[in-house]
Amino acid sequence: MGQSLGCITVEQSNVAVREHFGKFNDVLEPGCHCLPWCLGYQLSGQLSVRVQQLDVRCETKTKDNVFVNVVASIQYRALPEKAADAFYKLSNAKAQIQAYVFDVIRASVPKLELDAVFEQKSDIAKAVEEELEKAMSAYGFEIVQTLIVDIEPDVRVKRAMNEINAAARQRQAANEKAEADKILQIKRAEGEAESKYLSGLGVARQRQAIVDGLRDSVLAFSENVPGTTARDIMDMVLVTQYFDTMKEIGASSKSSSVFIPHGPGAVRDIASQIRDGLLQADTALN
């Protein structure tokens, strides 16, 4: 209705292109405008000046012969002051941008190995943005931002990379576990050595105390009972030890059966065997 009366409305974030008898006449800003069609004026079309985003997926090959899909996001907009160039000079801005992205990515990525592509994706994005800025500014477009949002190697390459990473982590875990086992064994050996040392020290002290006690007993008995010899005293001590041993064997519920000669004569035989062994050892040493 408004256009039939010669009035049009341009929405916000848009500009309109007005022609006069088919020739570009002016760029109309947002708002209401008079368009007397009877005088040859007409509306050729409208152009959005909002920031738009174009995702471009490009397949290329790296220096180490790995095919990857590089996804670039291009954010661009038409400049209001160059709306006529953006409207008339390009019929398909998205296709033009896509062609430049393909050209730059396929010229940059083949110079890099796969790991370097991941590390230098910001440099690739910068190269794409600079090339687009030079090319698209002549057509009235501004490149706002260029991002490399994804790098996708072949599925088999990605699986191999994951396996390499997993193997490296397993190797590191095995080394750490082996080091922990080594430390544990060293500490256990040190503990056993210390335990054996203290046990031996205790046995030595126990035997020393027994020897000291026997010596004191023999000396005291000899002084209090005149006429007794060291042999008589040792026989009595052996008899006492013998009966103490028999008592402990009989009192223990978990002791095994022990068959030994029983009787006072057996004690004397044991004492004689001990003394004979000591004398024979002393003779051999002399």
Side-chain angles (χ1 to χ4, degrees), residues 90-221:
L90 279 181
S91 61
N92 191 340
K94 291 184 177 180
Q96 188 80 1
I97 292 173
Q98 186 176 20
Y100 280 110
V101 172
F102 281 172
D103 181 66
V104 176
I105 289 179
R106 287 175 177 169
S108 301
V109 173
K111 300 176 182 178
L112 304 172
E113 294 184 354
L114 180 60
D115 292 338
V117 173
F118 284 95
E119 295 172 358
Q120 301 181 26
K121 68 176 186 177
S122 58
D123 295 336
I124 299 173
K126 185 177 180 180
V128 172
E129 183 174 350
E130 290 176 352
E131 186 66 23
L132 284 176
E133 188 67 36
K134 288 189 298 183
M136 299 304 294
S137 61
Y139 300 107
F141 285 90
E142 177 190 12
I143 304 301
V144 179
Q145 183 79 351
T146 301
L147 301 172
I148 301 297
V149 296
D150 197 9
I151 299 173
E152 299 178 355
D154 185 80
V155 177
R156 291 171 296 179
V157 175
K158 188 184 296 185
R159 187 183 302 114
M161 294 174 65
N162 292 333
E163 291 175 355
I164 292 172
N165 189 21
R169 293 184 180 276
Q170 289 176 358
R171 183 169 60 253
Q172 182 179 0
N175 291 335
E176 294 293 337
K177 185 177 183 301
E179 189 67 23
D181 291 341
K182 176 184 175 182
I183 294 174
L184 185 62
Q185 291 178 3
I186 292 174
K187 293 299 181 183
R188 186 183 295 115
E190 291 177 353
E192 291 178 357
E194 185 68 19
S195 176
K196 289 180 180 179
Y197 170 76
L198 295 175
S199 178
L201 189 61
V203 171
R205 289 178 178 176
Q206 179 187 17
R207 291 177 179 175
Q208 183 64 40
I210 292 173
V211 171
D212 293 342
L214 288 174
R215 184 181 64 251
D216 294 341
S217 297
V218 170
L219 293 176
F221 198 88

Side-chain angles (χ1 to χ4, degrees), residues 10 13-19 24-30 43-50 52 77-91 93 136-142:
V10 180
S13 300
N14 287 325
V15 291
V17 177
R18 185 176 64 185
E19 294 179 348
F24 171 73
N25 176 256
D26 195 9
V27 175
L28 305 180
E29 300 290 335
L43 183 67
S44 179
Q46 294 194 22
L47 181 68
S48 174
V49 294
R50 293 188 182 97
Q52 303 180 60
R77 71 186 184 97
L79 295 173
E81 60 273 16
K82 294 184 178 181
D85 292 336
F87 187 83
Y88 287 105
K89 288 186 177 181
L90 279 181
S91 61
M136 299 304 294
S137 61
Y139 300 107
F141 285 90
E142 177 190 12

Side-chain angles (χ1 to χ4, degrees), residues 33-54:
H33 298 274
C34 181
L35 192 70
W37 55 270
C38 57
L39 299 179
Y41 291 97
Q42 64 178 0
L43 183 67
S44 179
Q46 294 194 22
L47 181 68
S48 174
V49 294
R50 293 188 182 97
V51 175
Q52 303 180 60
Q53 178 167 311
L54 175 64

